[in-house]
Amino acid sequence: MSNPVQASADSDKKYVVHPYTNLSGHEDVGPFTIVGGEGIYVDDDQGNRFIEALSGLWCTSLGFSESRLVDAAIKQFNKLPYSHLFGHRSTQPAIELSERLVKMAPEGISRAYLVNSGSEAVDSAIKMVWYYNNVLDRPKKKKIISRKRAYHGVTVAAGSLTALPYAQDGFDLPAIDTLYCATPHYYRYGENGESETEFTDRIVGELEQQIIDADPDTVGAFFAEPVMGAGGVLIPPKGYFEKVQAVLSKYDILMVADEVICGFGRTGNMWGCDTYNIKPDMITCAKQLSSAYQPIGAVLVSDKMYSAFVSGSDQHGIFGTGNTYGGHPVASAVALETLNIYRDDKMIEHVQSVSKTFMRRLNEFESHPLVGDARGVGLIGALEFVKDKSSKEQYPVTDKVGVQVMNAARKHGLITRALPGDGIAICPPLIITDAEVNEMFNRYKLAVDEVYANMRA
Ligand SMILES: Cc1ncc(COP(=O)(O)O)c(C=O)c1O
């Protein structure tokens, strides 16, 4: 008989379908099973402890042992474990959470629609764009603009906006009418001799041309992550969103900020919209909304759009969309308590303070021979690896330098993630301290040094 840890690994291989995993390699690699956590650390089933430098999937802002969230869940489980919001029904946690979200949202947002995940939030927002334009009698205005390397989730419509081959290939995506515009990543896509401002003007000019070519009367909305996460942690060039929004306004195209990663402090302000001066018609959010202790997301909707939904009822009767678990009372109670902790612990001020150490340690990598670009904001960052710093030439894709660094980091007690474009992500829980930031970067350094030595050899 094998031991319990081995038996569990065997069962994993036998029964579990792993998302975003090379399924043919899983038999050999086996599961990496996490069994516990404390603060910014998690423990595996072999007794190893790691710094969770990706906060799970960019989500566990409060780390892995926040008892206030556990207590909030238990309290709500005991009071009312389930009810829903269909057909005028409501629950106190859903009401309170919606009010809190609207009051903390950027100007113009007046309602919250609760869902269970980021993908559902994005999918719902796409439906809302379509519904809105139908109510306004603009039935052609339905195309959605996304950006190359964007990540907006995996459901059929949201997955159509996720412009990463690994998430679309083999799934017949895109399945909705989507336009993909340029990635706002100056380091990699800026042309020789082009300044950051010239780069921004060029790609925004291209965006406008795409809209004209597609016919502006057929373009409904532009979806954008303030900082593009899974596509590479790409920080927008200065002035980018202001210029994009001027174009969108000209053609009456809605601006949807996908704050699934950036929302709730990640960029050093409550919203990525605050950091980059975005004036959204809708916000999609999830992840840090509950520190991922419960699955919950939301679409925050502007008054302009909500008024149209209300008049839609004259035509359609009910607003015919909703999820069984949308606004789940336990998830809502946990999300509310998460927002209470952000307020009580002054989380935004904390991020701004610790971000100084974070950015200093991140920027030190600029001089590393393997690193072409070290970029970040707030408590999110990335390193992009190159073979030649001056020409920015990369190693062949088959060398998988980012994956090598990710694997080396694991040996040094650090969980991180390789990014498209040969990078590595850095996105620790927001509760991280200055000392822990230093410890985390020490481990990144060991991993990067080790891979650099291998590549040279
Ligand atoms: C910006 C963004 N939008 C949407 C999603 C999808 O969220 P979920 O995985 O909860 O469906 C993600 C997930 O990483 C994301 O980063």
Side-chain angles (χ1 to χ4, degrees):
M1 262 296 277
S2 57
N3 67 40
V5 170
Q6 187 56 49
S8 164
D10 291 344
S11 294
D12 177 284
K13 292 186 203 173
K14 206 164 160 191
Y15 298 114
V16 180
V17 179
H18 281 275
Y20 282 128
T21 296
N22 183 321
L23 299 183
S24 68
H26 187 61
E27 181 70 22
D28 293 331
V29 178
F32 173 37
T33 305
I34 302 298
V35 295
E38 186 182 0
I40 65 162
Y41 297 91
V42 292
D43 303 316
D44 73 5
D45 59 358
Q46 316 283 324
N48 302 307
R49 178 158 272 212
F50 304 86
I51 294 178
E52 232 308 356
L54 203 81
S55 303
L57 290 170
W58 330 80
C59 52
T60 48
S61 44
L62 299 177
F64 294 85
S65 50
E66 179 47 71
S67 59
R68 281 180 64 177
L69 298 185
V70 179
D71 295 344
I74 292 170
K75 198 167 151 207
Q76 186 58 44
F77 270 125
N78 282 320
K79 195 169 175 194
L80 176 70
Y82 175 74
S83 189
H84 63 82
L85 307 181
F86 285 26
H88 307 282
R89 280 179 58 165
S90 208
T91 66
Q92 275 161 350
I95 296 168
E96 279 180 51
L97 178 62
S98 301
E99 179 173 355
R100 277 288 280 283
L101 284 169
V102 167
K103 289 188 169 163
M104 67 197 280
E107 210 189 312
I109 297 293
S110 75
R111 305 283 155 152
Y113 176 80
L114 301 174
V115 294
N116 307 289
S117 68
S119 297
E120 259 182 38
V122 171
D123 238 70
S124 305
I126 294 168
K127 286 177 74 181
M128 288 178 189
V129 171
W130 294 344
Y131 192 87
Y132 171 76
N133 279 317
N134 285 333
V135 171
L136 297 190
D137 199 20
R138 306 193 296 197
K140 288 194 309 178
K141 209 165 169 60
K142 301 290 168 54
K143 288 175 194 155
I144 309 288
I145 307 173
S146 179
R147 299 176 299 169
K148 293 172 191 160
R149 293 178 70 169
Y151 192 95
H152 294 292
V154 296
T155 45
V156 171
S160 299
L161 307 197
T162 292
L164 292 162
Y166 70 72
Q168 292 200 333
D169 290 355
F171 289 108
D172 291 359
L173 293 175
I176 67 166
D177 214 341
T178 313
L179 304 171
Y180 302 101
C181 67
T183 315
H185 182 28
Y186 173 61
Y187 170 77
R188 181 54 55 200
Y189 304 116
E191 288 173 356
N192 262 348
E194 193 177 45
S195 71
E196 188 167 321
T197 306
E198 288 163 348
F199 168 72
T200 307
D201 290 343
R202 174 168 62 80
I203 63 170
V204 175
E206 287 168 7
L207 167 68
E208 178 160 14
Q209 195 54 53
Q210 270 182 297
I211 293 169
I212 294 167
D213 292 346
D215 176 2
D217 290 344
T218 69
V219 182
F222 178 89
F223 279 62
E225 305 152 82
V227 171
M228 298 175 78
V233 185
L234 309 176
I235 312 289
K238 223 165 158 272
Y240 169 78
F241 277 110
E242 286 89 344
K243 289 174 180 170
V244 165
Q245 286 178 107
V247 170
L248 301 180
S249 306
K250 193 165 158 189
Y251 299 104
D252 201 3
I253 294 168
L254 298 166
M255 169 78 214
V256 185
D258 184 351
E259 296 261 11
V260 167
I261 286 180
C262 295
F264 312 102
R266 179 55 66 186
T267 64
N269 291 296
M270 187 53 77
W271 304 104
C273 286
D274 301 331
T275 304
Y276 296 110
N277 195 20
I278 300 170
K279 311 272 180 248
D281 294 295
M282 281 192 284
I283 283 180
T284 50
C285 60
K287 296 194 192 271
Q288 298 193 140
L289 168 55
S290 64
S291 183
Y293 279 45
Q294 283 284 291
I296 184 165
V299 186
L300 309 182
V301 184
S302 69
D303 205 37
K304 168 177 96 174
M305 292 190 74
Y306 186 71
S307 307
F309 300 166
V310 173
S311 38
S313 286
D314 299 340
Q315 205 178 329
H316 300 290
I318 59 168
F319 184 59
T321 189
N323 312 91
T324 300
Y325 307 120
H328 192 288
V330 177
S332 298
V334 170
L336 254 177
E337 189 65 354
T338 305
L339 301 182
N340 289 339
I341 295 171
Y342 293 157
R343 179 198 59 207
D344 297 347
D345 294 356
K346 300 192 170 30
M347 195 55 70
I348 302 296
E349 288 92 324
H350 170 76
V351 172
Q352 288 171 357
S353 160
V354 91
S355 173
K356 294 187 189 112
T357 310
F358 181 90
M359 289 305 297
R360 182 176 53 75
R361 291 299 308 266
L362 180 68
N363 288 333
E364 280 170 15
F365 279 93
E366 288 279 2
S367 57
H368 196 284
L370 190 63
V371 176
D373 190 34
R375 52 180 176 266
V377 61
L379 280 178
I380 185 167
L383 304 175
E384 185 164 326
F385 304 115
V386 289
K387 191 170 174 187
D388 183 319
K389 275 174 97 78
S390 56
S391 70
K392 304 183 189 173
E393 183 195 341
Q394 295 184 289
Y395 284 98
V397 183
T398 45
D399 282 348
K400 296 188 177 164
V401 178
V403 174
Q404 288 191 51
V405 174
M406 174 177 76
N407 293 339
R410 176 98 65 91
K411 285 190 283 169
H412 294 291
L414 184 79
I415 296 178
T416 175
R417 172 153 144 197
L419 294 167
D422 238 351
I424 197 98
I426 311 165
C427 184
L430 300 185
I431 55 165
I432 195 166
T433 63
D434 283 310
E436 289 168 338
V437 166
N438 280 317
E439 180 55 32
M440 175 181 76
F441 277 108
N442 292 346
R443 297 185 193 191
Y444 271 102
K445 175 88 168 49
L446 289 171
V448 175
D449 284 347
E450 191 174 302
V451 172
Y452 179 60
N454 287 346
M455 294 312 289
R456 286 188 54 147

